[in-house]
Amino acid sequence: MLKLYNSLTREKEEFRPLGGEATMYGCGPTVYNYAHIGNWRSFVFYDLLRRYLEYAGWPVNLAMNFTDVDDKTIRGSRAEGVPLKEFTRKYEEAFKKDSRKLNILPPRVYARATEHVNDMVRLVVRLRDRGLAYRAEDGSTYFDVSEFKGYGKLSHLDLGELREGASGRVSVDEYGKEEARDFALWKAWSEEDGDVYWDTVLGRGRPGWHVECSAMSQKYLGETIDVHAGGVDLIFPHHENEIAQSEGATGKPFVRYWVHCEHLLVDGRKMSKSLANFYTLHDLEEKGFKPVALRYFYLSAHYRSQLNFTLDALTQAQRTVEKLNDFVLRVRSAPNAENGVVTDALQTALKGFENAMDDDLDTANALPYLFEAVRVVNSEIEGRACVPVKDVLDFLMRVNSVLGVIDFAREEIPARIQKLVCEREKAREQKDFAKSDELRNKIRGEGFVVEDSAGGPRVRKA
Ligand SMILES: [Zn+2]
């Protein structure tokens, strides 16, 4: 029985969807630059959650947005002097491409904010009709937080500290808790917006960031959704405001389970460009890492604990993934048996894996069960015993349907090629580069290529 930690109640709660399938919304990227490895931790986490819900028997209707109009995207497109659409589509494509590399399954719906402005306007009008929104002197429409009972319930905000009065408004998309006050739902056009505006019943302008997710989640998933996921940095103001907008408009609970993924640190510090500890997926690929190694690295810790990224840790993760891939090949070529001692070990391991995952997706405690199974099977193979190949592969595939790190499509490399790769590795260690090049060419001549990666040499069919 799956339990998830709900940020709203601050308790682990048994998960059960309202309908036959689970509705899930994940706040997507703001497409104004390439996602960095801190962002990817959240997106891999959404994917883990989605995969495990499906593993547990609930198909998932997942919707995710692209924030392709907000303060940051407009600023970026103007700085580069390109139209907003052209500017954002580039990052949107990069996001989808990187998602595939990280084995992130696509959501049922990707929704662009710019294509849902009418839905947002309707939502704001609904809030205005219910006395929860007003138009200010600046022409923008704001949410009146004093009129919404329950404002602050997700972020545990002290309402007594809310600022009031004519200056009690915030028009920018991002702000801190100390600035909590009426926030912009619809922003009147200003000089800085350039040609980005819509003419609507709310006047000429554009939507605020927060209202985008409320409108799009309602459109695709309904007024009450099962799961809403995001990084912890989104709890305030973004998710707090989403609750106010959605519940304010419908009078119904917006989200049943709020789940948030912790921050990623890099070399023990917050990632920043000035500290030279800022990485995109592309940066890591250039250093010879496979994207799936990053995915494994994320999964090695529980999603609610802070995780410290280092290149050494990623190297380790890459080796582990390669070992798992090698293990698949070894099992495939092992002598087959109907069953054996490993059958029980596999069942025990699967049970342990599921129990850990049921406990709020505790991957850190689930992974050791996988390695225990690998250890038992390996020792059987090394002892020249027959193993139930199909059972072992079934186990790996089940576990991997959640983890998404093992490559089952990899082809077997003949022993004579493996031997040449080893010889070449020795030559490299002895700095005999002439010989190492000669061996590389020989391998090439046999139709295989060697790649030198951070996890050691890898060989594949040319
Ligand atoms: Zn959002």
Side-chain angles (χ1 to χ4, degrees):
M1 175 185 310
L2 171 62
K3 284 189 168 186
L4 288 177
Y5 181 86
N6 188 343
S7 308
L8 187 68
T9 57
R10 293 183 167 181
E11 273 173 27
K12 282 185 199 170
E13 296 173 4
E14 185 189 326
F15 178 79
R16 206 158 270 283
L18 271 182
E21 62 178 14
T23 48
M24 174 174 168
Y25 187 85
C27 284
T30 300
V31 278
Y32 76 113
N33 62 9
Y34 298 107
H36 57 64
I37 59 171
N39 303 135
W40 285 119
R41 185 181 185 193
S42 289
F43 299 127
V44 168
F45 162 64
Y46 298 180
D47 186 57
L48 174 77
L49 173 56
R50 174 256 179 93
R51 282 169 179 257
Y52 196 67
L53 290 175
E54 292 185 339
Y55 182 97
W58 294 293
V60 177
N61 184 3
L62 171 64
M64 214 169 133
N65 65 292
F66 283 119
T67 297
D68 60 350
V69 57
D70 78 324
D71 295 351
K72 292 193 276 197
T73 45
I74 292 175
R75 216 180 295 135
S77 73
R78 289 187 45 104
E80 282 188 22
V82 290
L84 183 67
K85 189 170 167 181
E86 190 184 314
F87 177 77
T88 55
R89 290 293 164 88
K90 179 173 88 178
Y91 297 115
E92 191 185 299
E93 283 314 309
F95 179 84
K96 286 183 182 165
K97 199 169 143 210
D98 286 355
S99 291
R100 282 192 292 272
K101 288 183 181 177
L102 286 162
N103 289 342
I104 293 174
L105 303 174
R108 206 174 288 178
V109 175
Y110 267 131
R112 291 188 187 111
T114 50
E115 290 168 1
H116 296 81
V117 173
N118 287 338
D119 301 290
M120 297 164 202
V121 171
R122 270 197 293 277
L123 185 71
V124 176
V125 168
R126 214 165 154 190
L127 288 168
R128 212 177 52 186
D129 292 346
R130 300 190 74 166
L132 290 164
Y134 62 91
R135 191 183 164 115
E137 314 81 70
D138 63 359
S140 295
T141 301
Y142 289 86
F143 188 94
D144 187 345
V145 294
S146 68
E147 289 294 325
F148 180 70
K149 211 171 124 265
Y151 190 77
K153 64 183 173 185
L154 180 67
S155 54
H156 302 265
L157 196 67
D158 182 355
L159 289 170
E161 287 174 11
L162 278 186
R163 299 187 193 182
E164 287 172 12
S167 63
R169 290 182 202 121
V170 53
S171 61
V172 291
D173 288 330
E174 290 181 272
Y175 51 94
K177 263 189 182 182
E178 62 291 347
E179 300 215 64
R181 43 195 153 157
D182 293 356
F183 58 91
L185 297 163
W186 184 259
K187 303 183 184 196
W189 181 83
S190 72
E191 203 84 37
E192 301 92 71
D193 291 341
D195 61 357
V196 180
Y197 60 80
W198 285 262
D199 284 312
T200 72
V201 292
L202 300 169
R204 174 170 289 191
R206 61 178 171 100
W209 170 38
H210 315 296
V211 83
E212 296 179 2
C213 286
S214 281
M216 291 187 282
S217 66
Q218 191 180 115
K219 174 162 186 167
Y220 294 104
L221 306 174
E223 295 184 337
T224 298
I225 64 176
D226 291 314
V227 189
H228 195 313
V232 283
D233 53 321
L234 292 181
I235 292 177
F236 190 88
H238 189 52
H239 290 163
E240 194 68 66
N241 292 353
E242 279 189 41
I243 293 176
Q245 295 159 160
S246 298
E247 299 192 352
T250 67
K252 293 178 190 160
F254 172 39
V255 170
R256 300 176 60 237
Y257 305 88
W258 280 100
V259 287
H260 291 99
C261 175
E262 254 299 339
H263 282 299
L264 181 78
L265 297 175
V266 177
D267 298 329
R269 305 160 87 164
K270 195 167 183 264
M271 188 165 35
S272 90
K273 282 192 170 150
S274 59
L275 287 174
N277 66 351
F278 185 96
Y279 299 108
T280 62
L281 191 61
H282 179 75
D283 295 335
L284 297 177
E285 286 184 285
E286 285 211 317
K287 289 181 184 294
F289 291 103
K290 295 268 162 53
V292 74
L294 182 65
R295 181 179 173 104
Y296 180 86
F297 169 74
Y298 292 137
L299 300 182
S300 66
H302 188 260
Y303 76 93
R304 280 194 299 115
S305 44
Q306 276 199 350
L307 176 60
N308 185 33
F309 175 92
T310 62
L311 290 175
D312 283 348
L314 188 61
T315 304
Q316 203 51 50
Q318 180 140 314
R319 285 202 190 112
T320 305
V321 171
E322 290 301 347
K323 272 188 200 150
L324 288 170
N325 290 337
D326 290 344
F327 178 68
V328 171
L329 296 180
R330 191 174 313 136
V331 170
R332 278 186 177 150
S333 57
N336 193 16
E338 280 306 303
N339 51 39
V341 282
V342 299
T343 307
D344 285 347
L346 293 173
Q347 274 164 7
T348 308
L350 190 64
K351 199 79 223 123
F353 176 84
E354 288 171 355
N355 286 342
M357 289 301 293
D358 279 345
D359 183 14
D360 194 29
L361 309 178
D362 191 349
T363 50
N365 277 317
L367 285 169
Y369 289 99
L370 166 61
F371 295 113
E372 175 57 14
V374 169
R375 193 192 61 77
V376 170
V377 175
N378 261 335
S379 78
E380 287 295 298
I381 293 175
E382 278 154 24
R384 307 203 166 263
C386 299
V387 292
V389 171
K390 189 178 170 296
D391 289 355
V392 179
L393 291 175
D394 282 351
F395 165 81
L396 291 172
M397 282 185 202
R398 285 200 75 180
V399 168
N400 197 55
S401 69
V402 177
L403 301 175
V405 293
I406 302 174
D407 180 6
F408 288 94
R410 220 166 58 166
E411 289 161 282
E412 200 152 349
I413 308 299
R416 68 175 195 287
I417 303 296
Q418 294 282 23
K419 197 163 159 267
L420 292 174
V421 174
C422 285
E423 280 174 32
R424 177 175 168 270
E425 195 54 18
K426 266 186 212 136
R428 271 165 55 85
E429 271 167 24
Q430 289 159 4
K431 303 216 183 308
D432 185 350
F433 296 113
K435 187 168 182 204
S436 125
D437 283 350
E438 185 194 315
L439 283 161
R440 181 197 282 269
N441 289 338
K442 198 165 171 191
I443 294 164
R444 177 95 215 179
E446 298 254 11
F448 291 85
V449 281
V450 198
E451 290 165 347
D452 295 305
S453 76
R458 309 302 320 166
V459 59
R460 61 173 174 79
K461 263 202 176 133

